[in-house]
């Protein structure tokens, strides 16, 4: 046998012996098909940490997670090229958290996602120009949705670039104040498939541009021309749109009642109409448009002084109307009586801040509309338990009930809510005379998701504990200035409400670090507000940081015992933290510098931090690349080099210089509530 063949045989024998002695262990996960793994990833969409853990199982899992992801909301624009190299199949890109986006960045996005990108949201982002949008138009030929809103400096050149996107279906240019009819015309001509257009606050847009859109974009389903300079001249063209379903004309002062009275043709496809804040609209105009749009489902007449008995009586013919918003209107008992005889399909009614609402009106309308699922009577201060009795006995299918500042209600009325509204998911009783008896009765609402009981000064742990035991679906809890709540009550919430995402305990002066240690078990908690909780220290914040990894917003203003130790814990664990309020805390330069290492941090408020020096502050500002908004005391403005401020601003950060005096103490909740009520009376 030749030497080379003998050597090859010996190598194969040695290899077989090695495999027998050290067999390769194949993970059982590797046997799962791609379809099964994609189904698993579908269930992990809500928690980014779960997806990250999935991708770290193996190389194949890492690759599959990259291929599966379709939605992306990055925090830093400078990392986008490397991120999109991995996630090359992104179809929906949300860049609202990236305050500064250059044309180079948009060009890079266009190259990397040329075939997959369907939707991009640039709302509020700065620094890019029409050149960046042109790159998207040239390369992303499947782009169907774009949002460039809240950019007051963008003009017709950007609109013209959008007009080159032939597959475009949804465009939001709200508050792009330099856009005129010329730019809107480019979109109208170039985007024949347009289905949604918002030019809200585009004061340069007039009848000419809107008429051109109505003529060219016949597939349009949603149009928002709020706060523009349009008049009656463009209304006929709008009403002739064959597929229009939503029309919003909030604050259009150039349109009066005559515009609708003389209108010859209505819109049979229109389902939602928003005429709120139209000061020149009278009952004749409202009645005219209602008669010409018989298929309306949602009607918003908020802050329209013209809403009277004749309009509400005129709703009789609107048999499909399911949602009415009359916030801030002069609604009377007779008006509600007229409304009760109309709208047989009514499901949602909002009467927020309608001062003429009384027990008589509420009783009449709920007796006729027993299928209501949403009712808002915020600041209707004349209603009593009589109204609650009528509501709970008639509308047993309520899902949402908002009754903030209805100060004449008592425990008897709140007891009725708990007994008769088992389907309730949202309940707002802020600033009411709620006591423990009333709060205990609300434990009967087992499906509660959101409960707001702030400024209810009579509630204690005895009322809150039953909520924790009986409402396992609770996600949002507002205890603002509920001074009777202690660690014991918070413990019950933490134990019984594992899905809690937001809790406001600001000025709950009897809670301590123990409450935060209990809440650290709520792994989904992302918003924590504890300003003015003097017994809270760094130990409690550290527990929250370690246990609540999704924490994105933290308010510890006037928590004087919170110091650098808390900042070190936040820097170590809270990699999703985007907003923090540190005023009056005991943080020094060291704590601020380590906090600045958080790449996710965007919004910081820090007034009266005695341990922070101008040098430490300047260094922290340089280190924190993702900042978009900073509130500081004006005394620092002269201490920090102007060149440094300009450099940070060039990265997309805006400075808000405050001149608030130092406050040693804060007023009691009782005094604060009395002053608020006095202000309302005035």
């Amino acid at each position: 046998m030749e030497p080379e063949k003998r050597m090859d045989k010996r190598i194969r024998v040695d290899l077989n012996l090695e495999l027998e002695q050290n067999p390769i262990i194949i993970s059982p996960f590797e046997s799962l098909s791609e379809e099964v793994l994609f189904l698993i990833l579908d269930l992990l969409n809500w928690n980014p940490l779960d997806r990250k853990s999935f991708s770290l199982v193996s190389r194949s899992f890492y690759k599959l997670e990259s291929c599966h992801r379709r939605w992306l909301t990055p925090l830093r624009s400078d990392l986008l090229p490397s991120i999109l190299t991995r996630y090359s199949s992104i179809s929906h890109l949300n860049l609202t958290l990236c305050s500064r986006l250059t044309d180079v960045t948009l060009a890079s996005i266009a190259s990397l996602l040329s075939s997959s990108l369907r939707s991009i949201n640039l709302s509020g982002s700065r620094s890019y120009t029409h050149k960046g949008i042109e790159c998207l138009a040239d390369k992303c030929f499947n782009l169907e949705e774009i949002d460039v809103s809240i950019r007051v400096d963008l003009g017709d050149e950007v609109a013209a670039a959008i007009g080159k996107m032939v597959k475009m279906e949804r465009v939001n240019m709200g508050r792009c104040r330099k856009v005129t009819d010329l730019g809107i015309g480019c979109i109208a001509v170039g985007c024949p498939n347009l289905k949604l257009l918002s030019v809200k606050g585009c004061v340069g847009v007039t009848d000419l541009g809107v008429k051109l859109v109505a003529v060219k974009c016949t597939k349009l389903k949603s149009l928002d021309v709020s706060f523009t300079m349009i008049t009656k001249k463009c209304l006929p063209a709008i009403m002739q749109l064959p597929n229009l379903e939503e029309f919003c004309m909030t604050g259009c002062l150039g349109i009066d009642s005559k515009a609708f009275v003389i209108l010859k043709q209505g819109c049979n496809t229109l389902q939602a109409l928003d005429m709120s804040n139209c000061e020149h609209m009278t009952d004749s105009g409202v009645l005219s448009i209602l008669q010409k749009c018989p298929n309306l489902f949602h009607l918003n007449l908020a802050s329209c002084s013209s809403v009277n008995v004749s309009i509400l009586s005129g709703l009789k013919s609107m048999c499909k109307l399911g949602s009415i918003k009359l916030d801030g209107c002069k609604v009377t008992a007779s008006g509600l009586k007229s409304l009760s005889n109309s709208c047989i399909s009514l499901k949602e009614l909002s009467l927020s801040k309608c001062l003429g609402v009384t027990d008589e009106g509420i009783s009449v309308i709920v007796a006729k509309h027993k299928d209501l699922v949403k009712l808002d009577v915020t600041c209707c201060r004349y209603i009593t338990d009589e109204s609650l009795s009528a509501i709970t006995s008639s509308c047993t299918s309520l899902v949402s009930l908002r009754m903030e500042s209805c100060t004449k209600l008592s425990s008897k009325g709140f007891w009725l809510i708990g007994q008769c509204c088992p389907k309730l998911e949202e309940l707002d009783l802020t600033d009411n005379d709620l006591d423990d008896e009333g709060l205990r009765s609300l434990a009967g609402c087992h499906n509660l998701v959101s409960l707001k009981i702030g400024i209810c000064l009579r509630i204690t742990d005895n009322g809150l504990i039953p909520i924790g035991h009986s409402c396992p679906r609770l996600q949002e809890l507002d205890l603002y200035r509920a001074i009777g709540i202690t660690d014991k009550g918070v413990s019950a919430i933490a134990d019984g409400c594992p899905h809690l995402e937001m809790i406001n305990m600001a000025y709950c002066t009897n809670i301590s670090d123990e409450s935060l240690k209990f809440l650290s078990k709520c792994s989904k908690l992302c918003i924590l507000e504890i300003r003015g909780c003097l017994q809270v220290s760094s130990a409690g914040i550290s527990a929250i940081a370690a246990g609540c990894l999704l924490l994105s917003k933290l308010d510890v203003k006037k928590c004087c015992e919170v110091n650098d130790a808390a900042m070190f814990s936040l820097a170590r664990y809270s990699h999703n933290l985007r907003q923090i309020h540190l005023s009056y805390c005991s943080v020094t330069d060291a704590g601020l510098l380590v906090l600045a290492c958080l790449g996710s941090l965007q919004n910081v408020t820090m007034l009266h931090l005695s341990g922070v020096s101008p040098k430490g502050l300047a260094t922290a500002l340089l280190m924190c690349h993702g900042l978009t908004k900073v509130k500081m005391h004006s005394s620092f403005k002269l201490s920090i080099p102007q060149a440094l401020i300009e450099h940070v601003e060039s990265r997309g950060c805006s400075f808000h210089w405050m001149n608030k005096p130092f406050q040693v103490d804060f007023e009691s909740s009782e005094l604060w509530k009395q002053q608020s009520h006095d202000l309302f009376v005035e």
Side-chain angles (χ1 to χ4, degrees), residues 44 46-54 548-550 575-576:
L44 300 181
W46 76 270
N47 190 344
L49 296 179
D50 289 345
R51 295 184 66 96
K52 183 176 181 181
S53 298
F54 179 95
C548 306
L549 301 181
L550 297 179
H575 300 295
N576 290 295

Side-chain angles (χ1 to χ4, degrees), residues 32-89:
L32 296 175
S33 65
E34 286 189 6
E35 291 79 3
V36 172
L37 293 176
F38 279 179
L39 287 173
I40 294 173
L41 282 168
D42 288 340
L43 300 175
L44 300 181
N45 274 335
W46 76 270
N47 190 344
L49 296 179
D50 289 345
R51 295 184 66 96
K52 183 176 181 181
S53 298
F54 179 95
S55 65
L56 294 176
V57 171
S58 66
R59 289 184 178 179
S60 61
F61 275 43
Y62 181 91
K63 183 179 179 181
L64 281 173
E65 197 275 331
S66 301
C67 296
H68 177 270
R69 188 183 288 269
R70 295 292 182 269
W71 299 74
L72 188 65
T73 306
L75 294 172
R76 291 175 55 181
S77 59
D78 56 317
L79 300 178
L80 272 172
S82 59
I83 293 173
L84 296 180
T85 300
R86 174 185 173 185
Y87 298 111
S88 57
S89 300

